[in-house]
Amino acid sequence: MFLGMSPEERLLANDNASRTILELRDAYRQQKANERKPEKMTHQIYSATGCARCHITKRFMKENGMDYEEYDIEADGKDAFAKFYRVHRAEIYRDKDGVEFPVYTDGSVIRQGVSVVIGHLVAGNGLDGFIGRSTLHGEWIDGFNISGGDPSRAGDLLKVMAYLKQNNLKILLTTDGRNPEVLKAVHDENLGDRIVMEVKGPAELYEALAGESIDPNALETSIRLAARFPDYQFYSIVAPMIPKDDTVRYLTPEEIGETAKTIEKATGSKKHPYELRPFDPDSAVDDRLKSAEPLPANAFFKYRTSARQYMVMTQIAK
Amino acid sequence: MGIPTIYPTGTTLFDPGKCWSGYTLFIARETGCALVDMNGNVVHLWKGLHGFPTKLLPGGQVMGSLGVRSPKYGFMDYMDVVQVDWDGNVVWKFDQYEYIEDPGQEGMWMARQHHDYQREGSPVGYYAPGLTPLVEGGNTLILGHKDVRDPRISDKPLLDDVIYEVNWEGDIIWEWVCSEHFDEMDFSEAARNALCRNPTMVVGKGEVGDWMHMNSISTLGPNRWYDQGDERFHPDNIIWDGRQSNIIAVTDKESGRIVWQVGPDYDGNQAVRELGWIIGQHHAHMIPRGLPGEGNILVFDNGGFSGYGSPNPGAPTGHNNALRDYSRIIEFNPITLKVIWQYSYEEAGFLPKMNNSDFYSPLISSVQRLANGNTLITEGSSGRIFEVTEAFEIVWEYVSPYYGINKNANFVYRAYRVPYDWVPQLERPDEKEIPKLDRSRFRVPGSVWKPEEGVVEVEGTLPYPGPQLCVSKVDEPKDG
């Protein structure tokens, strides 16, 4: 039959045959793929013996039906973690006390610390800005910045905090006054044990100081709420800023006085713990501020005197 | 000390020809600030004025305090530092160091001042030619308290010492916090251990550790050491002492660093061993320029009990491990540590070991170099103020007649002699010599002594020898 075909017919038949072969191959591959078990996301936890925060994280995963592989670095998982650490050294932070556990990975992301890991398991990247690295050990945990995240994800944030509270951790919060509605929810749910609020300056200077403006009412509401927590402190950084005229200058003692006055106005009291802190050039977001000449230590007394008109317990941080 | 039940008070001795005469200022217990003349007459009294201490300014104004915080909640916290005119009007006041709310009391600002302060112009707060405290304007250096926690020192709350400077307008312009310099103070491991366990707990805001208990601050003022190029003795630098630590030190005003120090131990090199243990001292300062001994360190070395270190029979826990039952005034060279002048039981003529505590004040007390080379000494615990010559002759003596009701004692924290012309409101008083009485003949009414009556001779007796005491007659040889 093939021999009786014209050259054109032979070429067409050849093409059809090739197509058929390709289709059969694809169908075979698909069939084989379908025969395999559905692929699961793999949760891996690197933990340490006796690490309470690792236990909390694992408990959360169990309660939420998440299977995981655990590598205890003080037992059989030591070599596995050493290998993992060598490959991912740049992504794993360690402080003077060493690596904070648990360290979690699903193969695509690495998360560290109980609050960050649970936050990731609850909301993926949705709580970025709300939950950061904790610097505290023992019963206290910090890294919760109320003003740093997306307020529409407040429900997920509360879920994470509530879980940590259920597991007897005391939560230290920070805020700079934004997201007062989130702060209210945290307060009303009794989820924060201590709050440290940075009042960057009078509301009208927030943009120059932080690059982002703030609604004066939101600032005052946050101040008022902060003062209702079981333990709280206000502070301001005597910081350089870039006002609209583009000239770098430090907050003045009078402006710090206005800041203290804002706290008094919001709360109706002069008696709140309020601290003045020096500026750390390394923390500056704007490069123009990194080279700002630090204020001499004795300059802070004027600021303290100015602030004490409205906040009588003002102290200078060392 | 063995003070008898009855003894005279007021001026008991006065040699006008040998004294550097003037008025003497001190706090009359639970009465006010008294200014007395050489014959003991109270020529002015600022009634009710407190002072820790009080100091006179030229023109008849006085510095002190209006009151002290309730002892239930504060330990030696004076509310303010004030300047009061001759008529009792407050012309300057500072209290804005810390806002204090004690239970059941209205919140208020307090200076939390204690033990000392200095007004600009005078390094030490007493007369020296050309170094006169400013009356209007000028900064004031204040020794105050601050509540801190510092786990390097102890896990217990601490009543820390601070030195701060305020200007005439009341702005704080400089501050130095003692605990922040703990690592510069050369405490031994044994001392750190004892200090950690008991940082000298006192009742303040709860129980707090008065670990250093500074009691004196003054500037060095112009001095020959700095003139010779020794930067440690910059005129603005501050000399202070810590009663509880036995430290005398100089703080560099600009950097805050401790740049000169003796103590807390006196067992180190030969120079410091020869200086000997300074224990529980008060009023350490550099003798100001223009006075005999200028540039030397003058201190009332109380003795008593203080320090931190290894346990010993008198200090089973190592707290208050330095003990001595007599006082001494020492004037020493800050470079060589050589003692230039000393006044103790020995110079006073008391029997060693037996009566060395006849010159002894375990707490408080002060010393002032006078312009003629005499030294005014406040032996505080017995309320005795006396002027002694370089050759150890007492030429004026006064015993405070002010005994408190709350505490049955006439103690005087610190007294100052001021020139007559600092008080223009008064005519220069007549000075009447008070000769030294023969105490074997001095009697109170009803007391009789007729030594010639009823005397019989005993046959065969020998003459009386000198005293033989129940101790070794030879002191331990000095090292070196």
Side-chain angles (χ1 to χ4, degrees):
Chain A
M1 187 181 74
F2 195 72
L3 293 174
M5 290 178 182
S6 67
E8 291 77 15
E9 287 172 331
R10 275 187 233 164
L11 286 172
L12 181 62
N14 194 40
D15 286 348
N16 287 339
S18 298
R19 193 177 305 119
T20 301
I21 290 168
L22 288 171
E23 285 171 359
L24 285 172
R25 190 184 67 188
D26 288 347
Y28 176 79
R29 285 179 176 171
Q30 185 62 45
Q31 183 186 348
K32 283 292 178 189
N34 290 342
E35 284 172 4
R36 282 200 297 268
K37 288 181 182 175
E39 194 166 328
K40 285 176 63 179
M41 185 180 287
T42 306
H43 302 292
Q44 294 179 333
I45 290 280
Y46 296 95
S47 66
T49 305
C51 162
R53 296 183 183 199
C54 301
H55 284 294
I56 294 171
T57 309
K58 290 184 288 183
R59 190 181 303 135
F60 179 86
M61 296 176 79
K62 281 178 190 163
E63 289 172 5
N64 287 277
M66 300 175 186
D67 293 335
Y68 59 87
E69 297 165 4
E70 180 181 8
Y71 303 94
D72 186 330
I73 61 131
E74 291 173 27
D76 294 343
K78 184 178 179 182
D79 293 339
F81 182 70
K83 185 178 173 187
F84 180 75
Y85 184 79
R86 275 197 298 274
V87 175
H88 299 286
R89 181 180 283 115
E91 298 159 81
I92 299 171
Y93 69 85
R94 57 185 303 157
D95 60 16
K96 60 181 171 47
D97 298 320
V99 173
E100 181 181 1
F101 289 95
V103 176
Y104 163 92
T105 184
D106 60 6
S108 59
V109 299
I110 297 172
R111 294 287 184 266
Q112 211 174 339
V114 61
S115 53
V116 174
V117 173
I118 293 179
H120 173 77
L121 295 172
V122 167
N125 296 332
L127 295 179
D128 286 0
F130 273 137
I131 304 178
R133 183 182 305 167
S134 174
T135 60
L136 302 176
H137 303 296
E139 63 176 353
W140 280 92
I141 187 165
D142 64 352
F144 293 89
N145 179 12
I146 299 301
S147 47
D150 175 1
S152 70
R153 305 304 297 266
D156 288 336
L157 175 66
L158 298 185
K159 183 178 176 183
V160 174
M161 295 175 70
Y163 194 78
L164 298 177
K165 286 285 289 181
Q166 284 169 25
N167 284 277
N168 301 315
L169 285 173
K170 290 184 173 178
I171 298 178
L172 189 154
L173 309 165
T174 59
T175 180
D176 68 7
R178 288 169 289 176
N179 295 345
E181 65 280 13
V182 181
L183 184 61
K184 182 171 188 315
V186 171
H187 174 267
D188 291 351
E189 296 291 327
N190 197 27
L191 296 177
D193 296 281
R194 174 172 164 78
I195 185 165
V196 178
M197 180 171 181
E198 180 186 6
V199 186
K200 289 180 179 291
E204 63 271 18
L205 291 179
Y206 256 62
E207 187 163 3
L209 284 160
E212 191 175 346
S213 62
I214 191 168
D215 173 6
N217 290 328
L219 178 59
E220 288 192 19
T221 302
S222 287
I223 290 170
R224 199 157 36 248
L225 285 165
R228 291 181 193 156
F229 276 77
D231 188 10
Y232 66 96
Q233 184 191 43
F234 297 105
Y235 76 92
S236 297
I237 295 173
V238 181
M241 58 180 177
I242 308 172
K244 287 174 183 167
D245 63 4
D246 253 15
T247 309
V248 176
R249 71 165 179 85
Y250 274 92
L251 280 164
T252 65
E254 291 72 25
E255 286 164 344
I256 285 292
E258 285 299 309
T259 310
K261 190 177 180 181
T262 302
I263 302 171
E264 187 203 1
K265 180 168 172 263
T267 60
S269 170
K270 290 177 184 284
K271 299 171 192 169
H272 300 293
Y274 179 48
E275 190 172 77
L276 301 179
R277 299 183 180 177
F279 171 69
D280 174 11
D282 292 339
S283 69
V285 178
D286 192 314
D287 282 344
R288 289 172 292 176
L289 300 180
K290 287 188 188 298
S291 56
E293 194 70 24
L295 287 174
N298 285 351
F300 281 78
F301 297 124
K302 278 258 181 204
Y303 288 91
R304 183 173 67 180
T305 300
S306 185
R308 279 181 167 180
Q309 296 174 77
Y310 307 102
M311 283 293 115
V312 295
M313 292 155 70
T314 305
Q315 295 286 349
I316 300 167
K318 296 291 185 186
Chain B
M1 296 198 286
I3 293 176
T5 307
I6 301 299
Y7 55 92
T9 61
T11 301
T12 58
L13 188 160
F14 176 32
D15 183 343
K18 294 181 178 174
C19 278
W20 192 76
S21 294
Y23 299 111
T24 303
L25 185 87
F26 65 98
I27 281 290
R29 281 204 62 72
E30 298 176 30
T31 304
C33 176
L35 189 69
V36 301
D37 66 18
M38 297 300 286
N39 285 92
N41 184 30
V42 180
V43 294
H44 202 68
L45 180 78
W46 286 270
K47 190 176 176 186
L49 186 67
H50 301 248
F52 199 19
T54 47
K55 300 187 184 189
L56 202 80
L57 301 174
Q61 296 196 16
V62 68
M63 293 185 75
S65 296
L66 297 183
V68 63
R69 185 179 179 185
S70 166
K72 280 197 290 187
Y73 307 114
F75 182 71
M76 297 182 170
D77 279 350
Y78 279 66
M79 297 185 333
D80 48 35
V81 178
V82 295
Q83 181 176 327
V84 178
D85 70 13
W86 184 254
D87 298 319
N89 304 302
V90 174
V91 298
W92 184 83
K93 174 178 173 178
F94 176 80
D95 60 5
Q96 305 262 315
Y97 182 67
E98 189 177 335
Y99 189 82
I100 301 286
E101 279 187 314
D102 286 329
Q105 297 181 25
E106 282 289 307
M108 62 184 300
W109 285 99
M110 285 191 197
R112 299 195 70 182
Q113 180 268 336
H114 67 97
H115 285 97
D116 215 350
Y117 52 84
Q118 300 295 347
R119 170 60 58 77
E120 184 180 353
S122 168
V124 296
Y126 64 69
Y127 173 82
L131 296 170
T132 308
L134 298 177
V135 180
E136 290 192 24
N139 296 347
T140 305
L141 208 57
I142 295 173
L143 175 57
H145 277 145
K146 186 184 182 89
D147 300 313
V148 306
R149 284 194 175 269
D150 191 332
R152 292 175 309 159
I153 301 173
S154 175
D155 59 345
K156 298 172 178 61
L158 300 175
L159 182 69
D160 204 5
D161 292 301
V162 292
I163 306 169
Y164 59 91
E165 186 174 13
V166 298
N167 61 21
W168 185 253
E169 290 72 35
D171 292 326
I172 296 171
I173 58 171
W174 184 85
E175 187 176 37
W176 185 84
V177 181
C178 189
S179 60
E180 293 174 4
H181 301 270
F182 176 67
D183 290 336
E184 301 167 35
M185 295 174 184
D186 295 335
F187 283 105
S188 67
E189 191 52 43
R192 285 172 184 255
N193 191 314
L195 175 52
C196 174
R197 292 162 194 273
N198 181 3
T200 310
M201 301 305 283
V202 295
V203 176
K205 190 177 175 183
E207 282 204 347
V208 290
D210 186 19
W211 70 285
M212 176 59 71
H213 195 99
M214 284 170 63
N215 61 37
S216 176
I217 57 160
S218 54
T219 56
L220 299 178
N223 64 82
R224 57 186 153 133
W225 317 116
Y226 182 72
D227 293 346
Q228 292 166 7
D230 194 334
E231 296 281 344
R232 296 176 299 170
F233 300 99
H234 189 287
D236 292 340
N237 289 354
I238 296 164
I239 182 170
W240 53 268
D241 71 52
R243 191 213 96 81
Q244 191 56 45
S245 69
N246 302 327
I247 289 173
I248 303 173
V250 172
T251 288
D252 182 85
K253 183 80 181 294
E254 189 172 336
S255 69
R257 302 276 307 172
I258 293 171
V259 292
W260 177 93
Q261 177 178 330
V262 292
D265 292 314
Y266 295 83
D267 295 327
N269 59 34
Q270 182 178 339
V272 83
R273 288 200 304 272
E274 287 184 3
L275 177 64
W277 273 80
I278 293 174
I279 300 172
Q281 75 283 6
H282 281 77
H283 203 196
H285 62 276
M286 180 174 279
I287 297 173
R289 171 158 287 175
L291 294 178
E294 65 175 71
N296 292 333
I297 307 300
L298 191 61
V299 57
F300 194 111
D301 174 11
N302 295 66
F305 42 87
S306 67
Y308 306 97
S310 299
N312 63 50
T317 66
H319 180 251
N320 285 336
N321 72 319
L323 301 157
R324 194 183 68 222
D325 59 358
Y326 64 89
S327 299
R328 59 176 185 157
I329 308 293
I330 49 173
E331 173 190 345
F332 64 95
N333 180 310
I335 309 297
T336 64
L337 306 188
K338 290 282 183 196
V339 173
I340 309 298
W341 185 81
Q342 170 171 300
Y343 185 84
S344 69
Y345 68 87
E346 198 171 354
E347 292 76 19
F350 300 131
L351 283 177
K353 303 286 190 294
M354 178 68 86
N355 296 116
N356 51 9
S357 60
D358 279 4
F359 174 57
Y360 180 37
S361 177
L363 298 170
I364 57 175
S365 306
S366 64
V367 56
Q368 174 185 353
R369 178 54 46 82
L370 301 172
N372 67 349
N374 290 354
T375 303
L376 185 78
I377 297 169
T378 305
E379 189 184 1
S381 63
S382 53
R384 178 180 176 231
I385 310 163
F386 62 100
E387 181 178 339
V388 63
T389 67
E390 188 181 358
F392 316 120
E393 181 185 0
I394 295 175
V395 291
W396 183 81
E397 183 182 62
Y398 177 88
V399 178
S400 172
Y402 295 95
Y403 292 81
I405 297 169
N406 296 324
K407 275 195 175 76
N408 181 25
N410 65 338
F411 58 78
V412 174
Y413 170 64
R414 189 185 291 181
Y416 286 112
R417 175 71 51 75
V418 297
Y420 287 128
D421 60 11
W422 278 23
V423 188
Q425 293 86 353
L426 298 174
E427 292 294 323
R428 187 183 176 111
D430 290 336
E431 296 181 349
K432 294 175 186 167
E433 182 182 4
I434 302 175
K436 188 174 180 180
L437 293 175
D438 177 357
R439 61 186 166 195
S440 65
R441 303 276 173 181
F442 180 61
R443 290 290 176 279
V444 297
S447 173
V448 178
W449 185 43
K450 295 179 179 174
E452 297 80 14
E453 294 183 9
V455 176
V456 295
E457 294 289 338
V458 178
E459 189 177 348
T461 57
L462 298 175
Y464 292 103
Q468 291 179 304
L469 308 179
C470 303
V471 292
S472 165
K473 293 184 74 172
V474 182
D475 280 331
E476 292 292 324
K478 287 181 178 172
D479 290 329

